[in-house]
Amino acid sequence: MECISNRLNPIEGIVFDEASKYFTKESLSLLDCLTSWTKEQRSLAVIMATSDYGFPFALHNIGYNRNHISESLVLSDVSPKETLHLLQRWGVRSNLAYLLVELYGGHILQICHALEDLYNTGEETRIRSSFISGLDSQLVTCAIRSKLEGISREVKNALDTLMETGFYPCNFEDPVADLVTKCNIAGFIDTEAQVPGLSYKLRAEKTGLVPSTQMIRIVYALKAKELDELFGVI
C-alpha cells in the first residue's frame, strides 16, 4: 500500500499492476469493498494498471459497474513523429531512426531492444520477429473469431476505419468492441477517458476504439490481402 499525497487531504492508495489477473467473479466482493472505500468513505485511492485492453469488458462481464471507475487513461505507444524526435535526441542517425519506426512503430521498449542488439552484435543484428508475429497472430485470431460469431464484415469495416484514422466510434455494448479488445487489437475509451495523442477533432465527445499500438496499424496494412481472405470479404 502506497501513500498518494494530496496537499489538502493525504490518503492511502493501492496500485494493482496487471489488474486483470486479480479481478475475477470470485473477487467481486473485493471490488465492492474497494468501491466503498474510494467513492463512499473517500479513504482510499485505487489505481488499476493493465496491458489487457479487454479489462473493462471483463469487469462488466463479472457484474461490476465500470461507471464506478472515475478516471481512465488509455496509453498506446508513442506516435511515429514523436518517436523520430526522441531517436534524434538520442543521437540515432536519420536512416536508422526511420527504419526502427517502420519496423516497431512507437514501441519504445522494442526499439530499445533493437538498439541494444545493434550495439552488441553490429552487422550480425537480426530483427526480433516475435513482436511482429505476435501482432499478426492477434489479427488472425480476431478474423477467425469474427467469422465464428457472425460479425466478420462489421469487424473488418471497424478495423479498416480504426487502422486508417486511429479511432473507430462505437458504444460499449457493440459486439465488435468486445471482440477487438479481447484480441488486444484496440482499447475502448469512454467520453471521460484521457488518450494522449488522439485529436479532439477526430474523437469529438464520442466513445469508441483506439489502436493498442501504432505498429499494429502497420502490420494490418502489410497483411491486408491475407486478412481480407480470412475475414471472407473478397
Side-chain angles (χ1 to χ4, degrees):
M1 186 174 292
E2 300 179 9
C3 179
I4 300 178
S5 61
N6 179 304
R7 288 184 179 180
L8 299 178
N9 184 28
I11 59 174
E12 292 184 320
I14 303 177
V15 179
F16 291 94
D17 190 19
E18 292 300 339
S20 56
K21 297 179 181 179
Y22 297 103
F23 299 113
T24 61
K25 198 168 187 64
E26 290 71 27
S27 58
L28 190 55
S29 58
L30 171 59
L31 281 166
D32 290 338
C33 286
L34 293 174
T35 301
S36 174
W37 294 334
T38 54
K39 293 194 70 176
E40 297 172 11
Q41 302 177 29
R42 298 187 179 277
S43 60
L44 184 70
V46 175
I47 297 175
M48 299 180 183
T50 180
S51 57
D52 179 3
Y53 284 88
F55 185 49
F57 293 87
L59 290 177
H60 175 75
N61 291 337
I62 65 173
Y64 183 71
N65 183 355
R66 66 186 185 88
N67 292 322
H68 289 320
I69 299 175
S70 58
E71 293 184 31
S72 297
L73 178 62
V74 180
L75 298 174
S76 178
D77 47 19
V78 182
S79 72
K81 180 179 179 181
E82 291 174 331
T83 305
L84 287 171
H85 286 321
L86 176 63
L87 290 173
Q88 289 172 0
R89 290 201 298 271
W90 287 357
V92 178
R93 292 184 178 180
S94 295
N95 288 346
L96 178 57
Y98 277 100
L99 176 61
L100 290 169
V101 172
E102 182 178 350
L103 290 172
Y104 300 109
H107 200 297
I108 302 301
L109 179 61
Q110 295 297 330
I111 289 176
C112 287
H113 286 326
L115 289 172
E116 183 180 3
D117 290 344
L118 185 62
Y119 177 80
N120 291 329
T121 60
E123 295 181 358
E124 297 180 4
T125 300
R126 296 292 181 268
I127 297 171
R128 296 191 181 195
S129 60
S130 58
F131 173 62
I132 297 175
S133 62
L135 298 177
D136 185 15
S137 177
Q138 290 167 214
L139 290 167
V140 169
T141 298
C142 183
I144 294 172
R145 290 181 59 178
S146 71
K147 291 184 71 174
L148 293 174
E149 296 181 20
I151 55 173
S152 58
R153 186 167 293 277
E154 291 85 348
V155 171
K156 181 64 168 59
N157 291 339
L159 290 180
D160 284 346
T161 300
L162 176 68
M163 300 307 175
E164 180 180 350
T165 68
F167 180 69
Y168 175 72
C170 63
N171 57 50
F172 188 79
E173 291 73 26
D174 192 330
V176 171
D178 189 14
L179 175 58
V180 171
T181 56
K182 283 180 178 176
C183 293
N184 244 31
I185 293 172
F188 181 83
I189 61 170
D190 57 27
T191 55
E192 302 299 324
Q194 301 178 52
V195 189
L198 181 61
S199 73
Y200 179 80
K201 183 178 179 181
L202 177 63
R203 174 188 179 185
E205 295 182 357
K206 299 186 289 286
T207 62
L209 300 172
V210 293
S212 57
T213 66
Q214 293 294 328
M215 189 61 205
I216 203 163
R217 300 173 71 179
I218 299 174
V219 174
Y220 186 80
L222 294 174
K223 298 288 183 178
K225 186 175 181 179
E226 178 185 339
L227 289 169
D228 282 346
E229 295 175 355
L230 286 172
F231 278 108
V233 297
I234 296 178

